[in-house]
């Protein structure tokens, strides 16, 4: 498909386990974002990549959270020693290079719903 | 850092009426203000945005206004329809259209037929 793809769509894990969430952005999009959305809340910024590097990781809540984008395309969000409070929908978004036709829109994926028991 | 407040948290209107959602932001350097619509279980989708060099923008039944002095911006939906029912999020960024958006907590709009 042409949209942002996220896998898995649902993940149930036990407290203390390690989790990886994958995001495949729209082809050609240079910027990639991870957000976390809890029930009834707005998306909460986690980290933003421009190419392969993390341009802003100020939203990562603690050192249990880490994200990579080694080839400037697919990104993986990694959560170590999961806690019940990590339960949320993790949204990925991408955007194209800034240019004449770029509207400024973030294109979101459907999200990965993480449940930590 | 930036903080975005949004109200009301819920809004119920009759079909055909207008709906207004208001947001305030704290960082005077913010210069990009998009609005996203999220239907139940779906991804957020951009419906309209405004940059700090304009005060108002309109797209059919949707309009957004920006008051930089007061640091607030609003979404106006006229002639509401049942399909407008969704959660609406405002957001702000100080990096133009790139960089992290800070979102409000959302407004659940219900349009009753």
């Amino acid at each position: 498909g042409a949209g942002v793809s996220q896998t898995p769509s649902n993940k149930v894990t036990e407290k203390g386990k390690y989790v990886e969430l994958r995001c495949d952005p729209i082809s050609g999009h240079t910027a990639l974002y991870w957000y976390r959305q809890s029930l009834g809340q707005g998306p909460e910024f986690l980290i933003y990549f421009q190419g392969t590097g993390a341009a802003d990781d100020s939203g990562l809540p603690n050192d249990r959270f880490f994200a990579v984008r080694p080839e400037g395309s697919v990104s993986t969000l990694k959560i170590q020693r999961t806690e019940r409070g990590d339960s949320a929908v993790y949204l990925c978004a991408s955007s194209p290079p800034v240019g004449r036709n770029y509207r400024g829109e973030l294109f979101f994926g459907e999200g990965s719903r993480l449940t930590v028991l | 850092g930036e903080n975005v407040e949004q109200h009301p948290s819920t809004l119920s209107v009759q079909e055909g009426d207008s709906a207004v959602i208001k947001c305030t932001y704290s960082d005077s350097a913010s210069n990009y203000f998009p609005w996203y619509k999220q239907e139940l279980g779906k991804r957020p989708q951009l419906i309209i945005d405004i940059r700090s060099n304009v005060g108002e923008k309109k797209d059919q039944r949707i309009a957004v206004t920006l008051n930089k002095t007061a640091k607030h911006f609003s979404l106006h939906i006229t002639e509401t329809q049942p399909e407008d029912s969704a959660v609406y999020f405002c957001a702000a960024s100080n990096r133009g259209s790139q960089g992290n958006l800070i979102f409000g907590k959302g407004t659940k709009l219900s349009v009753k037929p």
Side-chain angles (χ1 to χ4, degrees):
Chain A
V4 176
S5 176
Q6 291 188 245
T7 55
S9 55
N10 276 286
K11 176 69 178 180
V12 180
T13 191
E14 294 179 342
K15 178 183 173 183
K17 299 292 187 181
Y18 170 79
V19 167
E20 287 191 353
L21 306 175
R22 175 190 167 106
C23 174
D24 201 340
I26 294 172
S27 178
H29 281 196
T30 53
L32 185 146
Y33 311 77
W34 282 101
Y35 284 82
R36 177 170 69 176
Q37 187 174 26
S38 300
L39 191 63
Q41 301 294 315
E44 173 193 5
F45 170 75
L46 297 177
I47 187 169
Y48 151 55
F49 287 91
Q50 188 62 256
T52 60
D56 184 347
D57 64 358
S58 62
L60 294 177
N62 51 59
D63 61 6
R64 295 187 298 105
F65 288 75
F66 189 70
V68 295
R69 194 186 186 200
E71 298 179 355
S73 178
V74 172
S75 176
T76 304
L77 179 65
K78 307 180 181 190
I79 310 174
Q80 298 178 323
R81 305 183 303 280
T82 51
E83 299 177 357
R84 292 192 179 87
D86 298 336
S87 296
V89 175
Y90 289 80
L91 292 166
C92 177
S94 67
S95 62
V98 176
R100 186 177 59 188
N101 295 323
Y102 176 47
R103 183 182 171 186
E105 179 175 2
L106 292 188
F107 294 81
F108 282 91
E110 295 283 0
S112 292
R113 180 177 297 278
L114 174 66
T115 303
V116 182
L117 301 176
Chain B
E2 176 66 275
N3 182 51
V4 177
E5 300 285 342
Q6 181 173 350
H7 59 96
S9 56
T10 60
L11 179 60
S12 182
V13 299
Q14 286 295 132
E15 182 177 0
D17 288 350
S18 295
V20 180
I21 302 171
K22 298 182 179 182
C23 288
T24 61
Y25 61 99
S26 61
D27 187 352
S28 56
S30 287
N31 55 11
Y32 175 64
F33 308 93
W35 287 86
Y36 282 77
K37 176 182 179 182
Q38 187 175 31
E39 297 178 356
L40 188 63
K42 300 294 186 181
R43 70 189 78 190
Q45 292 189 298
L46 180 72
I47 55 171
I48 195 168
D49 57 13
I50 192 167
R51 287 171 173 78
S52 58
N53 58 345
V54 297
E56 184 174 358
K57 184 176 179 181
K58 189 173 182 180
D59 182 1
Q60 299 182 354
R61 296 186 297 109
I62 296 173
V64 58
T65 58
L66 171 66
N67 183 326
K68 288 168 51 181
T69 303
K71 295 205 285 282
H72 67 69
F73 56 114
S74 301
L75 178 71
H76 305 252
I77 306 175
T78 58
E79 301 171 26
T80 54
Q81 301 167 3
E83 51 266 38
D84 293 330
S85 297
V87 179
Y88 292 80
F89 295 98
C90 62
S93 170
N94 65 4
R95 299 186 187 183
S97 52
Q98 291 277 312
N100 56 307
L101 291 175
I102 305 301
F103 284 84
K105 292 188 175 182
T107 297
K108 183 177 181 180
L109 174 64
S110 299
V111 180
K112 298 181 179 180

